[in-house]
Amino acid sequence: MEQDKRKIGIAVTIGLGAVLCVWLATTVSSQQIQQWLDLLGQWAVPGYILLFTLLPALFFPVAILALAGGMAFGVIWGSIYTFVGAMLNCALMFLLARYLARDRVQQWLKIKLGQTWLERMETVTGKKGFALLVLLRLIPAVPYNAINYAFGLGSMSLGQYLAASAVGIIPGTVVFINVGDKVAQPGSQQFLWAVLLLVALVVVTGVLGRAIFGTNNQQTKGENKNET
């Protein structure tokens, strides 16, 4: 009975948090977050890291946070603070999925990813799992939240998960932070290069994603035909 009450409490908390983050995502811009960080003064850095640790777990878009980090702290420190916050968030979401809200997360991921891909991500481990996670982290189109929760349901250890996440997160972090840093100079050559780097990341990883997901979809269809 106590366990059921705890599960209900966790589900309600996550649900309310998700509603709050959806509302924030539709009403709060990167510039507003940057202005709020400026108001925090010496607490801006821990405030930003705390936001990046908690909000993505409730489905707040990480791109908005990353752009705000670039605007508030510049490329170098913005990338460092974002990386720290992202790693803390990865650990948080992984542990939530594994130990606290497993059933709820599993139901959500079945809708988000589909049963086949969820099963693949739950069972993959070792070098193959490490490489897959790095590749998924590189692709902006792959939902950041879904990756965290899906691997939390699987058999990969927390240490291996964080190591692969660290490798995969760095390129996208630097690119998004760079855009945020240059966004105040929309007509400058630096801003143009920042945007071109972002477009290049999206295009290259998009092709990579199609290759990965397309190959797996073909394998799945082949497996289904063999079963029938």
Side-chain angles (χ1 to χ4, degrees), residues 10 17 19 31 54 106 120 125 130 161 173 189 204 206:
I10 291 171
V19 170
Q31 187 175 13
L54 299 178
Q106 201 165 36
R120 289 182 185 278
T125 187
F130 190 97
Y161 168 78
T173 295
Q189 189 175 9
V204 171

Side-chain angles (χ1 to χ4, degrees), residues 52-81:
F52 219 110
T53 300
L54 299 178
L55 290 186
L58 301 169
F59 313 109
F60 189 88
V62 294
I64 292 178
L65 290 172
L67 289 173
M71 294 165 68
F73 307 112
V75 177
I76 296 176
W77 288 109
S79 296
I80 292 172
Y81 300 148

Side-chain angles (χ1 to χ4, degrees), residues 21-89:
C21 280
V22 169
W23 177 78
L24 287 174
T26 55
T27 58
V28 177
S29 66
S30 297
Q31 187 175 13
Q32 288 172 313
I33 294 175
Q34 180 250 326
Q35 291 170 350
W36 178 74
L37 290 172
D38 288 343
L39 292 175
L40 288 179
Q42 63 181 350
W43 296 101
V45 173
Y48 176 69
I49 292 174
L50 182 63
L51 287 178
F52 219 110
T53 300
L54 299 178
L55 290 186
L58 301 169
F59 313 109
F60 189 88
V62 294
I64 292 178
L65 290 172
L67 289 173
M71 294 165 68
F73 307 112
V75 177
I76 296 176
W77 288 109
S79 296
I80 292 172
Y81 300 148
T82 299
F83 178 79
V84 172
M87 293 307 296
L88 290 172
N89 173 256

